[in-house]
């Protein structure tokens, strides 16, 4: 097996043989040769209908023809300049036109950079130090947010190498819990610079906000001079043309973006109200910089992607999401399984959990071992999803009705194996 051999080689030169932890699964991950449309192909000659999609950014599928043409043309005239380009202005205007909360934009290199910078800006703007995140929410692998719950709402580092002093200003509460948030703000409101949140919790599976929860957060943050940051690294331009803020009709103060904003190439952005964004260097005192920020290759990929994301695009994409989720639910009902299908738009997941999942604690109660059986069976059937119960699955515009129907057959067979039916 070529993948097995490559994995043995990769472990000699890369920690655990991978460049990101979630890519490692037993006995070994498959190694990719290419991706085309809705499918990914490994070095052993297997093909898979892909619902990982590089963890979300490939909304057009793999190697979209128009995107490849545009990026190739840009590459022929330069890959980096260290100077501004007109295309950056065009892409910034696209973001501002689409994201209701965006009045100004700063590009960076990843979603992690975007969230780290947005938090710094919120602190600089408010003059306050503490930040609030929701338990289980992932906002990149930087020290402010790579935390776990401690005593009360205080957080402790969730990784070796992070000093406790770094996380002493990070607080957390359960998602969808208004009472916990009220209690925290009554205690710490004068010290809280921002609340940063995944609008849909995409890194514990796929958990939506309860009805009224976003409205509650918008109201309480305004009343207490707290910056509300929507982390839309996953949901930005996926749930709708204007992201989750538009989808749920809530306007935060700032939005962080990644993945789709660079058309699947490395890129991130943070944006928001002009009065907030204008304190970013060199205009203001909040420093943020990056040699590859606004890289012309990623900017072109973003522009090429946005040209294809119109209203009809989302109607078709989300329609396919509805079709897949409806039929997954029917399969689960026919098999009489106590599991919870979830999702919205072009996002979906199945929690191996009999109860409704509203937050991180609920998600953790899922049967992760049984999920891995399901995951491996799907691979045998030619369907690739992220190898974790706590990730979200995605559909692209390249997925056909035939892909979806084959996937439903694979899900049916894999659930039967996982539950020994």
């Amino acid at each position: 097996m070529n993948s097995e051999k490559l994995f043995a080689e990769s472990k000699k030169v890369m920690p655990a043989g991978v460049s990101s932890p979630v890519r490692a699964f037993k006995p070994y991950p498959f190694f990719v040769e290419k991706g085309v449309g809705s499918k990914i192909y490994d070095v052993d000659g297997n093909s898979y209908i892909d619902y990982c999609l590089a963890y979300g950014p490939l909304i057009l599928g793999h190697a979209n023809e128009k995107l490849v043409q545009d990026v190739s043309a840009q590459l022929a005239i330069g890959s980096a300049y260290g100077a501004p380009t007109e295309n950056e202005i065009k892409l910034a205007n696209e973001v501002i036109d689409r994201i209701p909360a965006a009045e100004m934009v700063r590009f960076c290199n990843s979603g992690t950079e975007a969230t780290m910078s947005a938090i710094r800006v919120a602190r600089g703007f408010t003059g306050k130090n503490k930040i609030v995140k929701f338990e289980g929410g992932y906002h990149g692998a930087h020290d402010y947010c790579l935390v776990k719950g401690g005593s009360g709402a205080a957080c402790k580092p969730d990784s070796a190498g992070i000093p406790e002093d770094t996380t002493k200003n990070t607080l957390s509460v359960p998602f969808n819990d208004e009472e916990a948030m009220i209690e925290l703000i009554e205690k710490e409101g004068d010290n809280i610079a921002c609340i940063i949140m995944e609008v849909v919790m995409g890194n514990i599976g796929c958990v939506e906000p309860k009805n009224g929860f976003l409205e509650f957060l918008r109201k309480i943050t305004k009343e207490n001079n707290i910056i509300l940051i929507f982390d839309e690294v996953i949901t930005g331009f996926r749930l709708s043309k204007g992201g989750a803020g538009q989808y749920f009709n809530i306007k935060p103060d700032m939005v962080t973006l990644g993945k789709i904003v660079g058309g699947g190439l490395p890129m991130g952005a943070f944006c928001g109200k002009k009065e907030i964004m204008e304190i970013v260097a060199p205009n203001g005192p909040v420093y943020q910089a990056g040699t590859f920020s606004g890289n012309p290759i990623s900017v072109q990929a973003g522009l090429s992607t946005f040209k294809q994301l119109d209203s009809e695009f989302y109607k078709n994409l989300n329609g396919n999401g509805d079709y897949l989720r409806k039929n997954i639910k029917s399969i689960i009902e026919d098999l009489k399984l106590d599991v919870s299908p979830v999702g919205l738009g072009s996002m979906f997941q199945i929690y191996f959990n009999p109860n409704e999942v509203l937050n991180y604690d609920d998600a953790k109660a899922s049967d992760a071992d049984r999920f891995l059986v399901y995951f491996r069976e799907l691979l045998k059937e030619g369907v690739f999803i992220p190898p974790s119960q706590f990730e979200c699955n995605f559909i692209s515009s390249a997925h056909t009705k035939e892909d979806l129907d084959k996937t439903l057959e694979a899900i049916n067979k894999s659930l039967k194996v996982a539950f020994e039916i």
Side-chain angles (χ1 to χ4, degrees):
M1 299 289 284
N2 293 324
S3 287
E4 185 175 9
K5 292 177 182 177
L6 289 173
F7 187 54
E9 287 297 309
S10 68
K11 287 192 292 184
K12 297 175 184 177
V13 293
M14 300 161 63
V18 293
S19 293
S20 188
V22 76
R23 298 176 194 173
F25 57 86
K26 295 178 180 179
Y28 54 86
F30 64 82
F31 278 63
V32 177
E33 183 177 87
K34 65 179 180 179
V36 180
S38 64
K39 296 181 179 64
I40 201 166
Y41 299 81
D42 71 18
V43 294
D44 294 297
N46 302 304
S47 67
Y48 310 91
I49 303 171
D50 184 14
Y51 295 98
C52 177
L53 296 174
Y55 293 86
L58 304 180
I59 197 167
L60 303 175
H62 294 275
N64 175 263
E65 184 176 355
K66 176 61 175 169
L67 188 150
V68 170
Q69 290 174 353
D70 291 345
V71 168
S72 298
Q74 174 58 52
L75 186 59
I77 58 173
S79 59
Y81 306 127
T85 65
E86 183 180 358
N87 274 353
E88 289 176 75
I89 303 172
K90 292 179 180 179
L91 187 61
N93 279 320
E94 284 281 357
V95 172
I96 291 167
D97 287 346
R98 291 165 182 266
I99 300 290
E103 295 177 1
M104 298 187 84
V105 185
R106 170 64 64 90
F107 295 116
C108 51
N109 296 294
S110 67
T112 290
E113 280 191 30
T115 58
M116 182 174 64
S117 300
I119 288 169
R120 185 182 300 162
V121 170
R123 284 171 162 159
F125 184 78
T126 62
K128 298 187 284 188
N129 291 328
K130 293 187 183 293
I131 68 170
V132 178
K133 66 180 291 291
F134 291 98
E135 293 172 1
Y138 181 71
H139 306 290
H142 57 87
D143 292 1
Y144 300 153
C145 289
L146 201 61
V147 298
K148 58 186 175 184
S151 59
C155 289
K156 295 182 178 295
D158 200 24
S159 167
I162 300 176
E164 287 204 22
D165 278 354
T166 304
T167 61
K168 67 182 180 182
N169 288 315
T170 302
L171 311 172
S172 69
V173 293
F175 191 60
N176 279 323
D177 191 332
E178 293 186 17
E179 290 184 8
M181 182 61 74
I182 290 170
E183 183 178 341
L184 178 62
I185 290 180
E186 286 177 349
K187 180 181 178 182
E188 294 280 5
D190 291 341
N191 304 311
I192 296 172
C194 66
I195 295 173
I196 186 167
M197 65 178 300
E198 292 181 273
V199 188
V200 176
M201 296 278 276
N203 281 281
I204 58 171
C206 189
V207 181
E208 294 183 54
K210 292 196 302 187
N211 287 340
F213 187 64
L214 296 178
E215 289 82 356
F216 157 76
L217 288 175
R218 181 64 286 188
K219 182 174 184 291
I220 201 167
T221 50
K222 282 184 176 180
E223 290 172 349
N224 290 275
N225 188 32
I226 296 170
I227 302 294
L228 180 60
I229 303 172
F230 279 1
D231 179 353
E232 294 218 44
V233 169
I234 288 178
T235 55
F237 314 112
R238 175 162 283 284
L239 281 185
S240 71
K241 186 176 180 179
Q246 182 187 67
Y247 185 92
F248 291 105
N249 194 29
I250 300 292
K251 186 185 290 188
D253 301 298
M254 299 184 74
V255 176
T256 62
L257 302 164
K259 300 186 187 293
I260 294 170
V261 77
L265 274 68
M267 195 173 188
F270 58 100
C271 54
K273 294 179 178 179
K274 187 175 182 180
E275 62 178 322
I276 297 173
M277 294 298 296
E278 283 191 324
I279 71 168
V280 177
N283 272 6
V286 176
Y287 192 74
Q288 189 278 334
T291 300
F292 288 100
S293 295
N295 177 269
I297 304 298
S298 296
V299 167
Q300 181 57 69
L303 283 172
S304 183
T305 297
F306 282 156
K307 287 176 184 176
Q308 302 180 59
L309 305 185
D310 56 20
S311 298
E312 189 66 21
F313 175 93
Y314 287 103
K315 179 181 178 182
N316 293 332
L317 185 70
N318 292 343
N320 281 340
D322 291 339
Y323 175 81
L324 191 65
R325 285 188 300 273
K326 177 184 176 182
N327 284 282
I328 289 172
K329 185 178 180 182
S330 293
I331 290 169
I332 290 169
E333 289 173 350
D334 289 344
L335 295 176
K336 297 180 171 58
L337 297 178
D338 257 349
V339 297
S340 303
V342 296
L344 68 168
S346 56
M347 303 164 66
F348 69 99
Q349 181 56 287
I350 300 173
Y351 282 109
F352 281 53
N353 189 330
N355 301 312
E356 184 179 14
V357 176
L358 296 174
N359 55 45
Y360 183 46
D361 283 344
D362 293 342
K364 285 195 299 181
S366 302
D367 189 339
D369 291 336
R370 195 184 295 271
F371 176 88
L372 284 177
V373 176
Y374 165 75
F375 161 75
R376 292 191 182 99
E377 289 300 316
L378 283 178
L379 278 186
K380 292 177 185 177
E381 297 293 329
V383 173
F384 177 48
I385 63 172
S388 170
Q389 169 72 104
F390 309 112
E391 295 286 349
C392 192
N393 310 315
F394 305 95
I395 302 172
S396 77
S397 60
H399 285 82
T400 64
K401 179 71 159 36
E402 182 182 3
D403 289 329
L404 301 181
D405 287 338
K406 285 183 177 178
T407 299
L408 290 165
E409 291 177 13
I411 289 173
N412 189 26
K413 290 180 181 178
S414 300
L415 285 172
K416 286 179 178 178
V417 173
F419 285 89
E420 301 177 342
I421 296 174

